[in-house]
Amino acid sequence: MHKVVVCLTAILYMTAGLVATGTSEAKSETGELVLYTSHATDWTEPIISEFEKHTGITVTLVSGGTGDLIERIHSEKEAPVADILWGGGSDSYQAIINLLQPYAHKHMSKVLDVTRDPGNRWHGTTIDPMVIIYNPTLVEEASAPKGWADLLNPAFKGNIAHADPERSGSAFMALVIQLLSMGGDNETGWTYMKRFVEALDGKVLTSSSAVYEGVADGRYAVGITYEEAALKSASAGADLKVVYPVEGSSKVPSPIAIIKGARNLGNARKFVDYILSKEVQTVMGDINRRTVRTDIQLPANMVPNNKLGDIPYDPLWVGGNKQRLLDRWNQLIDAQ
């Protein structure tokens, strides 16, 4: 982890000109920024530290689960405390969309359109596709799953690591992507989901980390997790191979947003511009996160964005149907 922090700091040092020059406001403005985030601090703190160093803005960091932070923002809507929310899935942002401040940042022409809200109320900072993982000491490459359909192979029954979608945001994302990839929100798609739940054989894990850890240590042969965790574990030497499903995944964004009524609006805009700058986005690949910019080459261990597939992950639809989808999932679980 020390190497990651050193790498981040070294690369982000180049952003001094980006955030410390430009308008006279950028040179002279000091103040504060209250940042709510569900991202891990091991990679966000060096980024935030460089922002503070080169702007003179003091960042007050409040960390927590996305759901808890969303509830907090909603409860504070009459007198907002947070200036920025960063982390989580776009469907969570849709749940408070009327509490978010539109902002067209400085890099709009350089990011994928599908990674932002059409009304510019939130902007993706990375893309978080779901992948399949397997343990190569338990599964030979020739027998490894190539896509979602292969998880129904009887050989994997009871040996699939998957988290509870009600507890894990990535597991819920997987539920939506599997459903849409395997027929849609219809009889075909839900027939697949029924068979997938049967393949779990009653084993549903309580956290996202239990999935990749369970596959890596041999408790499960295969699993479903998010790309960052899979690549990070594999690069650290875990017994884990990564598969991009042949049916496709989705360009699901992990957003950032300014809170409506933010007390430090100017500083919040600077932070959004900073996070989406080429200099900071270039760092994302070094920490196994996928940039949203179109002018940065992805690391060799990531498939190109155009090979992720075009599964339509509409955050407005997902947010509006989340509870119904979870209820349908629980019905399948209860039927086992």
Side-chain angles (χ1 to χ4, degrees), residues 3-19:
K3 291 177 67 177
V4 172
V5 172
V6 170
C7 179
L8 281 168
T9 302
I11 296 176
L12 288 171
Y13 186 78
M14 297 186 298
T15 68
L18 174 75
V19 297

Side-chain angles (χ1 to χ4, degrees), residues 182-249:
M182 300 305 294
D185 183 24
N186 52 39
E187 184 178 353
T188 301
W190 283 106
T191 296
Y192 165 82
M193 293 308 304
K194 179 177 183 294
R195 295 180 63 194
F196 174 71
V197 168
E198 291 170 350
L200 294 178
D201 201 24
K203 299 177 182 179
V204 181
L205 304 178
T206 58
S207 68
S208 302
S209 59
V211 173
Y212 52 84
E213 290 171 357
V215 174
D217 66 20
R219 282 175 290 161
Y220 295 89
V222 299
I224 302 173
T225 191
Y226 54 103
E227 181 185 51
E228 178 200 5
L231 296 180
K232 183 177 180 180
S233 297
S235 63
D239 281 328
L240 188 151
K241 297 288 187 181
V242 181
V243 175
Y244 291 88
V246 294
E247 300 93 347
S249 187

Side-chain angles (χ1 to χ4, degrees), residues 83 96-105 108 117-123 256-262 265 268-269 272:
D83 299 306
I96 56 167
I97 194 69
N98 293 328
L99 302 181
L100 304 181
Q101 175 68 41
Y103 177 53
H105 59 76
M108 296 287 285
D117 166 50
N120 295 325
R121 291 162 293 186
W122 54 258
H123 298 274
I256 193 169
I258 299 173
I259 306 305
K260 186 176 289 186
L265 181 59
R269 288 170 173 165
V272 172

Side-chain angles (χ1 to χ4, degrees), residues 21-294:
T21 61
T23 66
S24 58
E25 177 189 11
K27 291 180 180 180
S28 62
E29 183 176 350
T30 59
E32 299 179 351
L33 179 72
V34 180
L35 173 62
Y36 285 7
T37 183
S38 57
H39 283 312
T41 57
D42 60 348
W43 64 270
T44 56
E45 283 189 348
I47 293 174
I48 294 167
S49 178
E50 290 300 309
F51 175 78
E52 290 181 310
K53 179 178 178 181
H54 297 295
T55 62
I57 296 168
T58 299
V59 177
T60 298
L61 186 64
V62 178
S63 297
T66 305
D68 293 337
L69 295 175
I70 291 289
E71 288 183 10
R72 184 166 176 173
I73 290 169
H74 194 270
S75 69
E76 296 167 349
K77 63 183 179 180
E78 299 302 326
V81 175
D83 299 306
I84 291 276
L85 175 64
W86 185 26
S90 53
D91 55 294
S92 296
Y93 286 65
Q94 287 298 141
I96 56 167
I97 194 69
N98 293 328
L99 302 181
L100 304 181
Q101 175 68 41
Y103 177 53
H105 59 76
K106 293 181 178 180
H107 315 286
M108 296 287 285
S109 64
K110 299 297 184 181
V111 299
L112 290 167
D113 289 341
V114 296
T115 65
R116 66 172 182 254
D117 166 50
N120 295 325
R121 291 162 293 186
W122 54 258
H123 298 274
T125 59
T126 56
I127 299 170
D128 296 334
M130 299 301 297
V131 297
I132 296 171
I133 54 176
Y134 70 94
N135 187 313
T137 66
L138 301 177
V139 181
E140 295 182 359
E141 184 175 358
S143 303
K146 303 298 187 295
W148 307 120
D150 292 339
L151 294 176
L152 304 183
N153 186 331
F156 299 135
K157 185 172 184 178
N159 214 1
I160 303 171
H162 188 58
D164 183 351
E166 284 202 305
R167 298 189 179 191
S168 164
S170 62
F172 175 71
M173 191 185 304
L175 163 61
V176 175
I177 292 173
Q178 285 176 276
L179 181 67
L180 298 180
S181 300
M182 300 305 294
D185 183 24
N186 52 39
E187 184 178 353
T188 301
W190 283 106
T191 296
Y192 165 82
M193 293 308 304
K194 179 177 183 294
R195 295 180 63 194
F196 174 71
V197 168
E198 291 170 350
L200 294 178
D201 201 24
K203 299 177 182 179
V204 181
L205 304 178
T206 58
S207 68
S208 302
S209 59
V211 173
Y212 52 84
E213 290 171 357
V215 174
D217 66 20
R219 282 175 290 161
Y220 295 89
V222 299
I224 302 173
T225 191
Y226 54 103
E227 181 185 51
E228 178 200 5
L231 296 180
K232 183 177 180 180
S233 297
S235 63
D239 281 328
L240 188 151
K241 297 288 187 181
V242 181
V243 175
Y244 291 88
V246 294
E247 300 93 347
S249 187
S250 189
K251 301 180 183 70
V252 182
S254 178
I256 193 169
I258 299 173
I259 306 305
K260 186 176 289 186
R263 290 179 293 180
N264 304 294
L265 181 59
N267 293 342
R269 288 170 173 165
K270 289 186 180 71
F271 191 77
V272 172
D273 289 340
Y274 171 72
I275 294 300
L276 289 162
S277 67
K278 187 172 184 178
E279 289 81 358
V280 174
Q281 286 286 306
T282 297
V283 176
M284 296 304 177
D286 297 326
I287 52 176
N288 301 297
R289 300 188 71 88
R290 183 180 289 260
T291 179
V292 295
R293 290 185 65 115
T294 58

